[in-house]
């Protein structure tokens, strides 16, 4: 098993997507990339800790590769908006790949360069590619948020449409 850590906006949205992929055994919402030790959600949301909301993914590379995870990462958020995803604004919502090996760094950097050069986005990609640091799991009520709170307004209006689009685009990669 290997680990991948992505920041692509609200971790509730990210978790709802990645946990459904074949080969992903665990998807944990949390925080990475900041200065404060063991930050709380409230502290991270204040924008003063430097942390990003992230998803740490445990996956089987014989079933799904890091490259395939990167494809899902790039296609399920806007990597051109600095410190923002939709209505979520702040450094905690920045686009980031936190690499756990030189191979992950190489693959993420190569994918970003290729995607930027392709003209797929009219603005430059601002995704940071940074070495993974200490991962702090988010509070329990953030884990499996969409699964447990699917009827909440935020889930219905923001997360559900993203998940439905994801399931259409990546149908061949979904768990049975």
């Amino acid at each position: 098993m290997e680990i991948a850590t992505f920041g692509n906006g609200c971790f509730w949205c990210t978790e709802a997507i990645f946990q459904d992929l074949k080969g992903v055994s665990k998807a944990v919402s949390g925080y990475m990339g900041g200065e404060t030790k063991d930050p709380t959600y409230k502290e991270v949301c204040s924008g003063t800790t430097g942390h990003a909301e992230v998803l740490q993914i445990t996956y089987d590379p014989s079933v799904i590769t890091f490259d395939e995870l990167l494809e899902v990462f790039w296609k399920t958020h806007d990597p051109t908006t600095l410190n923002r995803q939709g209505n979520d604004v702040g450094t905690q919502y920045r686009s980031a790949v936190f690499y756990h090996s030189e191979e992950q760094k190489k693959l993420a950097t190569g994918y970003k360069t290729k995607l930027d050069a392709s003209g797929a986005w009219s603005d430059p990609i601002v995704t940071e590619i940074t070495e993974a640091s200490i991962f702090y799991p988010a509070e329990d009520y953030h884990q499996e948020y969409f699964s447990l709170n699917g009827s909440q307004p935020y889930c219905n209006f923001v997360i559900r449409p993203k998940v439905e689009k994801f399931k259409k685009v990546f149908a061949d990669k979904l768990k049975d």
Side-chain angles (χ1 to χ4, degrees), residues 2-6 57 59 66 69-70 97-110 129 132:
E2 292 187 20
I3 302 286
T5 306
F6 300 126
I57 302 159
Y59 68 100
F66 185 71
L69 292 174
L70 282 172
V97 175
F98 292 96
Y99 61 86
H100 294 267
S101 68
E102 285 303 311
E103 180 65 12
Q104 285 187 355
K105 178 183 180 181
K106 181 180 136 204
L107 290 169
T109 303
I129 299 173

Side-chain angles (χ1 to χ4, degrees), residues 33-165:
E35 304 301 320
T36 303
K37 185 179 178 195
D38 202 21
T40 65
Y41 181 67
K42 186 176 180 180
E43 290 171 329
V44 172
C45 286
S46 75
T48 60
T49 70
H51 290 88
E53 286 193 16
V54 299
L55 188 69
Q56 190 154 84
I57 302 159
T58 304
Y59 68 100
D60 181 344
S62 69
V63 178
I64 190 165
T65 65
F66 185 71
D67 234 9
E68 290 173 302
L69 292 174
L70 282 172
E71 179 186 8
V72 173
F73 167 78
W74 294 111
K75 289 183 176 178
T76 56
H77 80 293
D78 182 350
T80 68
T81 54
L82 187 62
N83 301 326
R84 174 186 203 124
Q85 286 300 307
N87 291 327
D88 295 327
V89 180
T91 57
Q92 68 270 28
Y93 300 115
R94 67 189 180 268
S95 176
V97 175
F98 292 96
Y99 61 86
H100 294 267
S101 68
E102 285 303 311
E103 180 65 12
Q104 285 187 355
K105 178 183 180 181
K106 181 180 136 204
L107 290 169
T109 303
Y111 206 118
K112 177 181 174 181
T113 301
K114 210 182 324 177
L115 191 59
D116 223 2
S118 76
W121 299 95
S122 56
D123 294 317
I125 294 173
V126 296
T127 303
E128 70 177 59
I129 299 173
T130 308
E131 186 173 10
S133 57
I134 299 170
F135 172 73
Y136 297 101
E139 296 82 349
D140 287 346
Y141 69 92
H142 292 295
Q143 308 306 327
E144 297 183 43
Y145 191 86
F146 180 66
S147 298
L148 299 172
N149 300 282
S151 63
Q152 295 290 336
Y154 184 86
C155 292
N156 267 324
F157 296 110
V158 177
I159 302 174
R160 189 170 313 284
K162 283 182 110 169
V163 170
E164 288 171 0
K165 180 180 175 185

